Amino acid sequence: MYSKEELQQGLVTRVIGRKLFVFDTIDSTNACGKTLGDAGTEDGAVIIADFQANGRGRHGRFWRADSGKNLLFSLLLRPSLAKDTSGLLTFYASVSIARAIESLTGSSIECKWPNDLLLNGKKCCGILLENSFQQHELSYSVIGAGVNVNQLEFGEQLQTKATSLAKELHAEFDRKQLFQKILQEFDTLYVDVQKGNFVRILEEWIIRCKMLGQMVTIAQGQNTISGTALRLKDDGGLIIKTTDGNSTVYAGDVTIVA
Amino acid sequence: MDLAYVKKVIKLVEKSDVDEIEIEEEGKKIRVAKHRNSQAVYQIPNLSLPAQPVGAPALPAASQTAEIPPPKTEVKYHEIRSPIVGTFYRAPAPDAEVYVEIGQEVKPGSVLCIVEAMKLMNEIESDVEGKVVKVLAENGKPVEYNQLLFLIDRA
């Protein structure tokens, strides 16, 4: 259980989390973020819940997180961005959360294109971004994240892919402390986002990314693309060198070929 | 002024910086114009039926109305285009209902589809009130920046 006073105590941010909505149980923090977005709630509002009854991943996939052990939150942002940079919010979210986890635990976080955070090669944080567009104008963006903090069981299907900070580092972590660090990192980098300057964010993301220069396969529905992951394009697309030349990828599940 | 000539002019305008050109030759006139902004409007001009050739057998009135569509005065459709490169989805999840069907009434703010790029779900909303008349992208397929996704009848 969180208390709003406790979560905001000592939190020094400019925009992010100045308005905070705290729930014991909610259907989905992202769904709530979108409702607030439609209702005109201010830039930087944050929704946090101890438990999500209907947590969602991509395409409505269910996201399971045990009550009281993880961090589940969403940010509502209203940056004024050029149309081709809205996709870079993915990297903004990844770098902000990676910075916070590294500062709390002292362990390195790896970024995998486009938005996975790995600890010891396993996923410890899922991010779901939802943008709302009217014509070419971004009305708002909701960044939802689930950080596995102290959960130790992931079920048979996920245990080879998913992990938590506690499981990898053999210690329990203070969720409130991590939450505040995350909001502070989001707030620091938001200065760049508001200016439309993603240089620092992309540089930091690339430092944490181990797949550049490696052979990868990308599954896109029925199709698979194989090649060497070369670099990021300015809009966040991944440039792959294939036998037919270079191509830029914007979707798909990436696997590094050993 | 034949069809090949007209096609040639269209190509020339497409490739050039000229937005509009009008050519008059031996009493015949063509005008080729680019519609670059997203508020572009489709216009179907008055269709004038070709004159019946002299000596041709007169068609019975019933088959004539069946074969020739009634002339439309002017149809204007509002365009919804993709703001980004990505994958087009008509529904929030594979087993969920589509956001909008053809013929459905929409309002400003009604979600029409999702374009996913880099696992970022971009909900594309209507900015006008009207009826969906056409879906121009295929579910689960890639779309390009500025690709036409929906036509909406504001009438």
Side-chain angles (χ1 to χ4, degrees):
Chain A
M1 298 274 223
Y2 298 113
S3 89
K4 190 174 168 180
E5 291 69 32
E6 197 187 359
L7 289 174
Q8 279 188 316
Q9 193 183 20
L11 180 70
V12 187
T13 54
R14 196 175 49 93
V15 182
I16 310 296
R18 301 316 305 158
K19 189 140 200 158
L20 186 63
F21 298 86
V22 181
F23 297 90
D24 289 338
T25 299
I26 197 169
D27 58 343
S28 138
T29 56
N30 255 40
C32 178
K34 285 163 71 180
T35 307
L36 293 173
D38 290 334
T41 303
E42 67 203 54
D43 189 20
V46 175
I47 305 104
I48 180 165
D50 206 31
F51 181 68
Q52 285 188 114
N54 190 19
R56 293 175 302 131
R58 281 172 74 226
H59 304 307
R61 285 175 199 158
F62 183 68
W63 175 271
R64 181 200 146 167
D66 292 351
S67 173
K69 297 199 169 157
N70 304 297
L71 263 186
L72 307 164
F73 62 93
S74 295
L75 271 66
L76 170 68
L77 300 178
R78 300 181 181 279
S80 91
L81 289 177
K83 56 194 174 289
D84 54 346
T85 55
S86 62
L88 299 177
L89 291 173
T90 296
F91 303 96
Y92 163 58
S94 297
V95 171
S96 300
I97 298 171
R99 275 182 169 201
I101 296 175
E102 287 174 353
S103 147
L104 182 75
T105 65
S107 296
S108 297
I109 292 293
E110 182 189 336
C111 293
K112 185 183 159 199
W113 189 89
N115 66 349
D116 285 342
L117 295 187
L118 312 180
L119 178 58
N120 294 345
K122 291 181 185 176
K123 186 165 165 175
C124 65
C125 172
I127 298 169
L128 177 67
L129 273 100
E130 296 183 85
N131 280 348
S132 176
F133 275 96
Q134 262 195 22
Q135 285 295 4
H136 286 189
E137 289 293 320
L138 178 69
S139 322
Y140 62 82
S141 178
V142 176
I143 300 179
V147 186
N148 299 333
V149 185
N150 293 321
Q151 182 169 331
L152 296 174
E153 296 298 327
F154 290 92
E156 218 169 285
Q157 247 187 333
L158 283 179
Q159 65 178 355
T160 54
K161 293 177 182 169
T163 195
S164 68
L165 310 187
K167 197 173 174 189
E168 294 304 313
L169 305 170
H170 311 291
E172 279 227 343
F173 291 93
D174 182 348
R175 292 186 302 158
K176 182 201 131 194
Q177 209 185 345
L178 178 61
F179 178 64
Q180 289 197 340
K181 276 183 185 287
I182 290 173
L183 296 194
Q184 265 146 10
E185 295 299 350
F186 266 111
D187 198 64
T188 304
L189 292 173
Y190 200 48
V191 178
D192 292 19
V193 173
Q194 284 173 314
K195 287 181 192 155
N197 180 355
F198 285 86
V199 174
R200 171 165 63 155
I201 290 167
L202 290 175
E203 275 175 5
E204 280 205 28
W205 187 89
I206 289 165
I207 288 170
R208 291 184 174 88
C209 176
K210 290 185 184 161
M211 62 193 261
L212 297 181
Q214 304 243 42
M215 280 291 293
V216 295
T217 60
I218 295 150
Q220 296 179 323
Q222 308 270 316
N223 298 337
T224 305
I225 301 170
S226 297
T228 309
L230 286 186
R231 59 191 160 86
L232 283 189
K233 215 177 150 190
D234 292 345
D235 60 3
L238 182 65
I239 302 176
I240 305 286
K241 185 183 176 187
T242 69
T243 46
D244 301 329
N246 290 357
S247 76
T248 307
V249 175
Y250 291 95
D253 291 314
V254 185
T255 312
I256 298 173
V257 183
Chain B
M1 198 181 283
D2 57 8
L3 191 64
Y5 178 79
V6 175
K7 278 184 181 168
K8 216 167 150 185
V9 175
I10 291 171
K11 275 203 173 150
L12 266 175
V13 173
E14 250 177 17
K15 285 181 188 166
S16 74
D17 290 324
V18 176
D19 279 323
E20 195 172 318
I21 189 167
E22 198 169 292
I23 301 170
E24 195 167 358
E25 214 175 65
E26 296 165 358
K28 290 178 182 167
K29 192 157 78 173
I30 59 159
R31 191 172 73 90
V32 178
K34 282 185 210 168
H35 291 292
R36 277 186 164 158
N37 72 47
S38 60
Q39 301 296 325
V41 153
Y42 285 97
Q43 292 198 353
I44 302 172
N46 282 313
L47 297 171
S48 53
L49 301 177
Q52 192 87 345
V54 180
L59 291 166
S63 82
Q64 207 167 21
T65 49
E67 282 175 24
I68 301 166
K72 289 178 184 170
T73 48
E74 196 177 67
V75 181
K76 294 177 180 180
Y77 294 136
H78 181 76
E79 297 179 350
I80 303 289
R81 291 176 178 270
S82 180
I84 50 157
V85 178
T87 310
F88 175 81
Y89 292 104
R90 288 191 62 193
D95 53 354
E97 280 182 25
V98 296
Y99 285 110
V100 286
E101 299 277 9
I102 291 169
Q104 194 172 321
E105 300 281 348
V106 293
K107 288 181 187 160
S110 301
V111 178
L112 303 173
C113 66
I114 282 178
V115 177
E116 179 187 7
M118 297 178 285
K119 302 202 179 173
L120 198 164
M121 304 298 171
N122 298 282
E123 283 187 348
I124 313 300
E125 295 180 352
S126 178
D127 57 339
V128 295
E129 189 170 343
K131 193 187 275 183
V132 178
V133 289
K134 200 154 191 173
V135 184
L136 293 124
E138 206 181 322
N139 190 50
K141 293 281 157 83
V143 289
E144 291 298 322
Y145 167 69
N146 216 27
Q147 185 174 327
L148 195 52
L149 304 176
F150 295 90
L151 291 180
I152 296 183
D153 187 355
R154 301 174 71 171

